[in-house]
Amino acid sequence: MQARDAAAVADLATQLGYPSSEVEIADRFGALKDRRDARVLVGEGSNGAIVGWIHMQITESLESGARAEIWGLVVAEPARGAGVGKALVEAGERWALSSGLKVIVVRSNTIRLEAHKFYEHLGYQVIKTQKAFRKRL
Ligand SMILES: CC(C)(COP(=O)(O)OP(=O)(O)OC[C@H]1O[C@@H](n2cnc3c(N)ncnc32)[C@H](O)[C@@H]1OP(=O)(O)O)[C@@H](O)C(=O)NCCC(=O)NCCS
């Protein structure tokens, strides 16, 4: 991703269910772009338009150590089913491997049944089902 992609990435984040403005995405990308533990990759259509993005993040916890996680993935509705999602995940996997990691985790809302089939098709296995909690401070 580059800064100029912010509007298209914001559009797709909104499609994913996370309403975001161009300015918000530009700010968040600005905070991520130079970090070694984060990578945002975009997929481009033949006309150069952004048709998908993936956010990869390396997380490090006491109980599991370092691993790569897919923190966001979306492909524009008209571009789905054409291999863009797979290409983005494979690019994310290459980045994780090149960062020395051998495991990728992805958490996906229980309602995203099609995404679950997609991940399973790409070799990902369900390891558990969780509840997510939030508290406003
Ligand atoms: C999930 C998503 C990223 C998949 O991207 P995509 O570009 O449509 O998927 P691809 O065309 O790359 O599919 C790759 C492979 O998975 C298979 N696949 C994709 N969706 C599938 C489904 N619902 N059931 C079974 N197989 C599926 C494809 O047939 C293809 O198989 P092949 O490589 O053997 O030809 C896309 O549908 C999307 O953005 N969905 C909405 C947002 C979302 O749910 N994101 C995930 C959040 S965790």
Side-chain angles (χ1 to χ4, degrees):
M1 178 178 172
Q2 300 188 38
R4 63 166 187 257
D5 303 328
V9 168
D11 238 32
L12 291 173
T14 302
Q15 279 185 36
L16 184 61
Y18 296 91
S20 309
S21 68
E22 175 178 357
V23 171
E24 286 169 331
I25 292 291
D27 282 353
R28 292 174 197 152
F29 178 64
L32 287 175
K33 69 178 173 45
D34 296 324
R35 286 173 56 155
R36 293 182 56 188
D37 62 350
R39 184 59 57 96
V40 185
L41 301 161
V42 295
E44 283 183 354
S46 49
N47 59 358
I50 304 296
V51 291
W53 58 259
I54 189 169
H55 172 189
M56 301 296 303
Q57 189 72 41
I58 295 171
T59 60
E60 216 161 338
S61 69
L62 270 181
E63 70 273 26
S64 305
R67 59 196 191 177
E69 298 199 27
I70 297 174
W71 271 9
L73 168 67
V74 61
V75 172
E77 221 166 321
R80 288 182 193 161
V84 176
K86 182 178 178 177
L88 287 168
V89 169
E90 287 178 349
E93 290 172 351
R94 284 194 295 277
W95 174 77
L97 270 176
S98 72
S99 304
L101 298 164
K102 300 208 161 40
V103 177
I104 296 196
V105 171
V106 55
R107 299 164 205 276
S108 181
N109 193 318
T110 51
I111 61 172
R112 297 193 195 277
L113 300 178
E114 297 308 313
H116 303 166
K117 290 184 216 158
F118 163 80
Y119 287 123
E120 285 180 336
H121 191 74
L122 296 190
Y124 289 73
Q125 290 170 333
V126 179
I127 48 170
K128 63 180 169 185
T129 306
Q130 293 180 309
K131 284 189 180 179
F133 296 85
R134 178 163 63 186
K135 178 182 177 184
R136 289 204 179 279
L137 300 177

